[in-house]
Amino acid sequence: MRWAWLALLVASSAAAQTASTIGITRGNFLRKPEYATQSALNLYVETTGNDANFCTDVTTPCLTIQGAVDKIPKLVRHPVTITTGLGTFSAGAVISGFTFDKAATGTDRYIWVRGALIDATPTTGPTTGTATSGTAGTADTLTWGTLTLTAAGWTVNDLRGKLIEITGGTGSGQIRPVSSNTADTITVPGTWTAPSATSTFAIRGWGTLISGVVSAPGTPSNPASAASAFYITDMAKAVTGSVVVDKFKFTHTTGRTLVVNSEISTVFQYCDFHSTSAANLINAFGAPSVALQYNYGLVPAGARLVQTQSTSMGSLYLDRNVVDALTTGVVAEVSSANATFYFNDFKNTSSALIRLMGSTSNISIATNKLDCNSAGGIGVDSLTASSSAYPLKPATRGNGNIRFTTNDISNCATAINLKGDIHAYFEAGVVSGTGNTTAVSVADQASADIEADTTLTGATELLIEGTAYTLANLRALSPKRIADLSTGAMVFEP
């Protein structure tokens, strides 16, 4: 019996030591769960909070977003929402080391970090009101949705870079970035449920600001060294899960806004990217998908709003964003990833609005409005690498494929520049804008399939290895094909 008691004492001592080693104590078992979510978890952050709080009630919030993130169990089986209040916060957070796993059937699994919107103050005209009328918009004709308030008196285009929210009546709950406005009509990118005379609205700005960055976590799978407002890295999934960053304005002056290196899908929505840092604002690598939707961005000179940079990157999705790029700024630079650009409004650059690099895969550019602002830039610039000489095989050429559908690309030195081992497919109404010097340039093994009902607008419609052609030149041939035999650059109509 004596030896049995001694064995039990040793086992108890070892168990206590193990618990101490992994940080589980009676005091922190509830504060810092080491296991799994048991139900939906809500956490709160305020400028008056304290990270020592439980943070599960709005009256006892955390002080920092990182403090709230650190209270999430590492095994996420339910929705987790971090609600951040009004004010300026010194940084976002490192979101790392979580695993999304299956719980009850039908339960969503996500980590949703959200800020708050506030009423904006237009230079002239009202912040809120009841619409006179509105339109839904039509994707096929690039006619975008509108809201009209008779005699509103807004300053023209003063509302670009703000949000409009339908707060009641027809279309209630919709939030969109403002693409442009006249004295009485607001235009949003893409289509929406048309407001009616029952629709109330508000012009919104951002009440939750992120003014700084967190240090790079330095984990083995995270090669990025620059600081960032948010890091999402070293995540795993047994089932589908996601991280959502929602309704923040970023004003940091150094580092990046977001670095994603994770198996988890990441969504940025209703944010204002206003950093003055020359670093790339969003770097994505090693992630299955990154989506940017309903955001406004001001890209500093020499920076990129988003850049993918890994052979293992999955997909990039940009939907209904309004972005202004300054001088040499680039909105999106895509390498080794599938990408979709849909209903976006990109403006102002002397560089390229969309740049395709390296070994791109499948790119869809549909129903966007791209405006180079007569600054000598390029709307879509494909700079994929060349390979050994190809035989002339229409529609099978190219290391990557780009599909253009009903875009308005205007005021560019070159609207679309195709260079290297890539094939482009042009559907109806591809380049219907105005003011382009060259509509489409094809060189260095690139090829383009141009449908019969496609329209190209530019002083030069087609430029193949430096020689100018028109669509009429192409369509007068039989077969309808123009090729440079020395490089294999080619344009054809099926």
Side-chain angles (χ1 to χ4, degrees):
M1 178 68 70
R2 181 175 58 187
W3 294 109
W5 278 107
L6 180 60
L8 179 61
L9 179 63
V10 171
S12 300
S13 175
Q17 183 176 7
T18 301
S20 176
T21 301
I22 64 175
I24 302 175
T25 67
R26 180 180 300 176
N28 73 10
F29 180 76
L30 293 178
R31 283 181 185 270
K32 286 185 64 179
E34 301 291 339
Y35 302 115
T37 58
Q38 302 301 308
S39 62
L41 175 62
N42 292 291
L43 298 163
Y44 299 89
V45 180
E46 298 283 349
T47 56
T48 56
N50 188 324
D51 286 348
N53 290 337
F54 287 97
C55 308
T56 53
D57 189 276
V58 70
T59 61
T60 55
C62 285
L63 175 63
T64 67
I65 299 172
Q66 188 67 65
V69 168
D70 290 345
K71 297 181 189 301
I72 303 172
K74 289 300 184 182
L75 189 59
V76 177
R77 289 176 168 169
H78 302 82
V80 177
T81 303
I82 298 174
T83 300
T84 311
L86 301 177
T88 299
F89 295 83
S90 60
V94 175
I95 302 175
S96 176
F98 295 97
T99 298
F100 289 80
D101 196 10
K102 188 175 182 180
T105 302
T107 300
D108 293 328
R109 292 155 295 274
Y110 55 74
I111 297 174
W112 179 16
V113 187
R114 65 182 185 182
L117 300 178
I118 57 174
D119 286 347
T121 303
T123 301
T124 60
T127 297
T128 62
T130 301
T132 305
S133 62
T135 61
T138 305
D140 291 345
T141 60
L142 271 178
T143 303
W144 286 0
T146 63
L147 177 145
T148 296
L149 176 62
T150 301
W154 290 308
T155 301
V156 173
N157 289 334
D158 175 55
L159 305 181
R160 182 179 173 91
K162 298 178 175 62
L163 301 173
I164 181 170
E165 180 176 2
I166 306 301
T167 55
T170 304
S172 179
Q174 296 179 107
I175 304 175
R176 297 288 189 273
V178 176
S179 173
S180 63
N181 69 275
T182 65
D184 63 1
T185 299
I186 292 171
T187 299
V188 300
T191 59
W192 65 347
T193 299
S196 71
T198 69
S199 302
T200 57
F201 70 89
I203 309 301
R204 300 292 200 198
W206 288 266
T208 309
L209 281 64
I210 304 293
S211 63
V213 294
V214 294
S215 298
T219 56
S221 61
N222 182 29
S225 58
S228 178
F230 279 93
Y231 267 94
I232 301 171
T233 184
D234 294 298
M235 309 276 273
K237 61 177 181 178
V239 293
T240 302
S242 61
V243 174
V244 181
V245 179
D246 179 27
K247 300 185 180 72
F248 289 93
K249 180 172 182 175
F250 297 92
T251 61
H252 54 93
T253 58
T254 61
R256 296 176 169 87
T257 302
L258 171 69
V259 173
V260 182
N261 180 21
S262 171
E263 292 183 18
I264 301 302
S265 299
T266 304
V267 179
F268 254 52
Q269 62 184 19
Y270 305 118
C271 290
D272 181 355
F273 300 96
H274 239 85
S275 166
T276 58
S277 170
N280 300 331
L281 301 186
I282 299 174
N283 271 78
F285 44 94
S289 68
V290 175
L292 280 75
Q293 54 191 22
Y294 312 117
N295 300 289
Y296 174 71
L298 181 65
V299 183
R304 295 157 183 79
L305 175 64
V306 59
Q307 181 186 55
T308 67
Q309 52 182 43
S310 170
T311 56
S312 61
M313 173 68 192
S315 62
L316 174 68
Y317 185 73
L318 276 75
D319 177 26
R320 293 173 171 85
N321 300 283
V322 174
V323 182
D324 294 316
L326 301 179
T327 59
T328 55
V330 176
V331 176
E333 186 170 282
V334 182
S335 177
S336 303
N338 298 320
T340 299
F341 298 86
Y342 190 61
F343 280 144
N344 296 287
D345 181 346
F346 300 157
K347 284 187 177 179
N348 301 341
T349 183
S350 61
S351 183
L353 290 167
I354 299 173
R355 178 176 292 155
L356 309 176
M357 304 283 290
S359 180
T360 54
S361 297
N362 294 302
I363 310 295
S364 176
I365 301 175
T367 58
N368 301 279
K369 293 185 179 181
L370 312 180
D371 191 337
C372 297
N373 201 35
S374 301
I378 299 173
V380 179
D381 194 11
S382 170
L383 297 174
T384 58
S386 304
S387 66
S388 58
Y390 264 84
L392 300 181
K393 294 183 179 179
T396 62
R397 294 282 308 283
N399 194 23
N401 294 281
I402 313 174
R403 180 177 295 270
F404 293 95
T405 307
T406 317
N407 296 282
D408 182 328
I409 306 178
S410 295
N411 303 313
C412 300
T414 302
I416 299 172
N417 183 49
L418 303 174
K419 185 177 181 180
D421 192 10
I422 196 156
H423 176 73
Y425 179 74
F426 290 71
E427 293 185 331
V430 175
V431 186
S432 59
T434 60
N436 298 310
T437 303
T438 299
V440 177
S441 175
V442 182
D444 195 15
Q445 298 183 359
S447 59
D449 174 343
I450 299 179
E451 290 291 299
D453 53 357
T454 296
T455 300
L456 304 179
T457 57
T460 298
E461 292 180 345
L462 290 171
L463 194 66
I464 303 175
E465 292 291 0
T467 301
Y469 299 92
T470 66
L471 283 176
N473 296 148
L474 172 66
R475 289 165 178 165
L477 299 174
S478 182
K480 299 175 183 179
R481 182 184 306 171
I482 301 173
D484 185 289
L485 297 180
S486 63
T487 66
M490 176 176 52
V491 176
F492 61 93
E493 181 180 299

mmCIF file of all heavy atoms in Angstrom, residues 416 426 430-433 439-440 450 454-458 460-462 471:
data_model
loop_
_atom_site.group_PDB
_atom_site.id
_atom_site.type_symbol
_atom_site.label_atom_id
_atom_site.label_comp_id
_atom_site.label_asym_id
_atom_site.label_seq_id
_atom_site.Cartn_x
_atom_site.Cartn_y
_atom_site.Cartn_z
ATOM 1 N N ILE A 416 -4.356 47.716 -72.697
ATOM 2 C CA ILE A 416 -4.002 46.343 -72.351
ATOM 3 C C ILE A 416 -2.674 45.998 -73.017
ATOM 4 O O ILE A 416 -2.559 46.081 -74.244
ATOM 5 C CB ILE A 416 -5.086 45.346 -72.790
ATOM 6 C CG1 ILE A 416 -6.409 45.656 -72.077
ATOM 7 C CG2 ILE A 416 -4.658 43.913 -72.515
ATOM 8 C CD1 ILE A 416 -7.584 44.844 -72.580
ATOM 9 N N PHE A 426 -10.743 37.800 -75.540
ATOM 10 C CA PHE A 426 -11.504 39.042 -75.474
ATOM 11 C C PHE A 426 -12.959 38.777 -75.844
ATOM 12 O O PHE A 426 -13.263 38.403 -76.975
ATOM 13 C CB PHE A 426 -10.927 40.067 -76.454
ATOM 14 C CG PHE A 426 -9.585 40.611 -76.053
ATOM 15 C CD1 PHE A 426 -8.450 39.825 -76.109
ATOM 16 C CD2 PHE A 426 -9.463 41.922 -75.630
ATOM 17 C CE1 PHE A 426 -7.214 40.318 -75.766
ATOM 18 C CE2 PHE A 426 -8.226 42.427 -75.270
ATOM 19 C CZ PHE A 426 -7.094 41.628 -75.330
ATOM 20 N N VAL A 430 -14.790 44.749 -74.823
ATOM 21 C CA VAL A 430 -13.657 44.655 -73.920
ATOM 22 C C VAL A 430 -13.109 46.016 -73.537
ATOM 23 O O VAL A 430 -13.003 46.364 -72.375
ATOM 24 C CB VAL A 430 -12.541 43.805 -74.544
ATOM 25 C CG1 VAL A 430 -11.329 43.803 -73.654
ATOM 26 C CG2 VAL A 430 -13.037 42.390 -74.738
ATOM 27 N N VAL A 431 -12.747 46.817 -74.513
ATOM 28 C CA VAL A 431 -12.162 48.123 -74.246
ATOM 29 C C VAL A 431 -13.098 49.161 -74.848
ATOM 30 O O VAL A 431 -12.948 49.559 -75.997
ATOM 31 C CB VAL A 431 -10.744 48.254 -74.837
ATOM 32 C CG1 VAL A 431 -10.116 49.574 -74.422
ATOM 33 C CG2 VAL A 431 -9.863 47.098 -74.387
ATOM 34 N N SER A 432 -14.074 49.577 -74.070
ATOM 35 C CA SER A 432 -15.070 50.494 -74.590
ATOM 36 C C SER A 432 -14.875 51.906 -74.084
ATOM 37 O O SER A 432 -15.751 52.743 -74.217
ATOM 38 C CB SER A 432 -16.479 50.007 -74.204
ATOM 39 O OG SER A 432 -16.585 49.929 -72.801
ATOM 40 N N GLY A 433 -13.731 52.169 -73.459
ATOM 41 C CA GLY A 433 -13.470 53.501 -72.940
ATOM 42 C C GLY A 433 -13.024 54.454 -74.032
ATOM 43 O O GLY A 433 -13.160 54.195 -75.226
ATOM 44 N N ALA A 439 -4.990 50.638 -77.817
ATOM 45 C CA ALA A 439 -5.977 49.804 -77.127
ATOM 46 C C ALA A 439 -5.339 48.508 -76.639
ATOM 47 O O ALA A 439 -5.398 48.191 -75.451
ATOM 48 C CB ALA A 439 -7.152 49.505 -78.050
ATOM 49 N N VAL A 440 -4.730 47.720 -77.545
ATOM 50 C CA VAL A 440 -4.137 46.435 -77.176
ATOM 51 C C VAL A 440 -2.783 46.295 -77.855
ATOM 52 O O VAL A 440 -2.668 46.447 -79.072
ATOM 53 C CB VAL A 440 -5.044 45.249 -77.589
ATOM 54 C CG1 VAL A 440 -4.368 43.920 -77.269
ATOM 55 C CG2 VAL A 440 -6.395 45.335 -76.887
ATOM 56 N N ILE A 450 -9.813 37.488 -80.269
ATOM 57 C CA ILE A 450 -10.734 38.619 -80.199
ATOM 58 C C ILE A 450 -12.051 38.246 -80.879
ATOM 59 O O ILE A 450 -12.083 37.981 -82.078
ATOM 60 C CB ILE A 450 -10.119 39.872 -80.856
ATOM 61 C CG1 ILE A 450 -8.835 40.256 -80.111
ATOM 62 C CG2 ILE A 450 -11.107 41.023 -80.852
ATOM 63 C CD1 ILE A 450 -8.121 41.468 -80.676
ATOM 64 N N THR A 454 -16.345 42.304 -80.379
ATOM 65 C CA THR A 454 -15.495 43.085 -79.488
ATOM 66 C C THR A 454 -15.206 44.455 -80.093
ATOM 67 O O THR A 454 -14.995 44.589 -81.293
ATOM 68 C CB THR A 454 -14.165 42.351 -79.246
ATOM 69 O OG1 THR A 454 -14.442 41.132 -78.568
ATOM 70 C CG2 THR A 454 -13.207 43.181 -78.422
ATOM 71 N N THR A 455 -15.171 45.463 -79.231
ATOM 72 C CA THR A 455 -14.805 46.817 -79.639
ATOM 73 C C THR A 455 -13.530 47.226 -78.924
ATOM 74 O O THR A 455 -13.419 47.066 -77.708
ATOM 75 C CB THR A 455 -15.924 47.813 -79.284
ATOM 76 O OG1 THR A 455 -17.115 47.443 -79.962
ATOM 77 C CG2 THR A 455 -15.543 49.223 -79.683
ATOM 78 N N LEU A 456 -12.577 47.723 -79.664
ATOM 79 C CA LEU A 456 -11.337 48.254 -79.092
ATOM 80 C C LEU A 456 -11.252 49.735 -79.424
ATOM 81 O O LEU A 456 -11.449 50.124 -80.577
ATOM 82 C CB LEU A 456 -10.114 47.532 -79.660
ATOM 83 C CG LEU A 456 -10.079 46.009 -79.514
ATOM 84 C CD1 LEU A 456 -8.803 45.460 -80.153
ATOM 85 C CD2 LEU A 456 -10.159 45.595 -78.057
ATOM 86 N N THR A 457 -10.973 50.571 -78.425
ATOM 87 C CA THR A 457 -10.893 52.008 -78.676
ATOM 88 C C THR A 457 -9.517 52.538 -78.321
ATOM 89 O O THR A 457 -9.050 52.387 -77.201
ATOM 90 C CB THR A 457 -11.956 52.765 -77.871
ATOM 91 O OG1 THR A 457 -11.795 52.473 -76.484
ATOM 92 C CG2 THR A 457 -13.355 52.373 -78.306
ATOM 93 N N GLY A 458 -8.869 53.138 -79.302
ATOM 94 C CA GLY A 458 -7.569 53.762 -79.121
ATOM 95 C C GLY A 458 -7.139 54.371 -80.430
ATOM 96 O O GLY A 458 -7.619 53.989 -81.504
ATOM 97 N N THR A 460 -4.485 53.812 -81.777
ATOM 98 C CA THR A 460 -4.069 52.558 -82.417
ATOM 99 C C THR A 460 -4.867 51.439 -81.776
ATOM 100 O O THR A 460 -4.812 51.254 -80.560
ATOM 101 C CB THR A 460 -2.567 52.307 -82.216
ATOM 102 O OG1 THR A 460 -1.822 53.356 -82.827
ATOM 103 C CG2 THR A 460 -2.158 50.972 -82.812
ATOM 104 N N GLU A 461 -5.613 50.688 -82.576
ATOM 105 C CA GLU A 461 -6.434 49.621 -82.006
ATOM 106 C C GLU A 461 -5.600 48.406 -81.624
ATOM 107 O O GLU A 461 -5.758 47.850 -80.536
ATOM 108 C CB GLU A 461 -7.533 49.223 -82.996
ATOM 109 C CG GLU A 461 -8.570 50.316 -83.210
ATOM 110 C CD GLU A 461 -9.652 49.910 -84.191
ATOM 111 O OE1 GLU A 461 -9.474 48.901 -84.922
ATOM 112 O OE2 GLU A 461 -10.682 50.610 -84.241
ATOM 113 N N LEU A 462 -4.717 47.983 -82.522
ATOM 114 C CA LEU A 462 -3.864 46.822 -82.279
ATOM 115 C C LEU A 462 -2.419 47.175 -82.577
ATOM 116 O O LEU A 462 -2.123 47.782 -83.620
ATOM 117 C CB LEU A 462 -4.275 45.648 -83.162
ATOM 118 C CG LEU A 462 -5.596 44.954 -82.855
ATOM 119 C CD1 LEU A 462 -5.932 43.973 -83.978
ATOM 120 C CD2 LEU A 462 -5.524 44.234 -81.515
ATOM 121 N N LEU A 471 -8.850 46.622 -86.241
ATOM 122 C CA LEU A 471 -9.696 45.428 -86.258
ATOM 123 C C LEU A 471 -10.198 45.151 -87.667
ATOM 124 O O LEU A 471 -10.379 43.986 -88.054
ATOM 125 C CB LEU A 471 -10.876 45.610 -85.300
ATOM 126 C CG LEU A 471 -10.565 45.445 -83.811
ATOM 127 C CD1 LEU A 471 -11.809 45.743 -82.979
ATOM 128 C CD2 LEU A 471 -10.050 44.053 -83.500
#
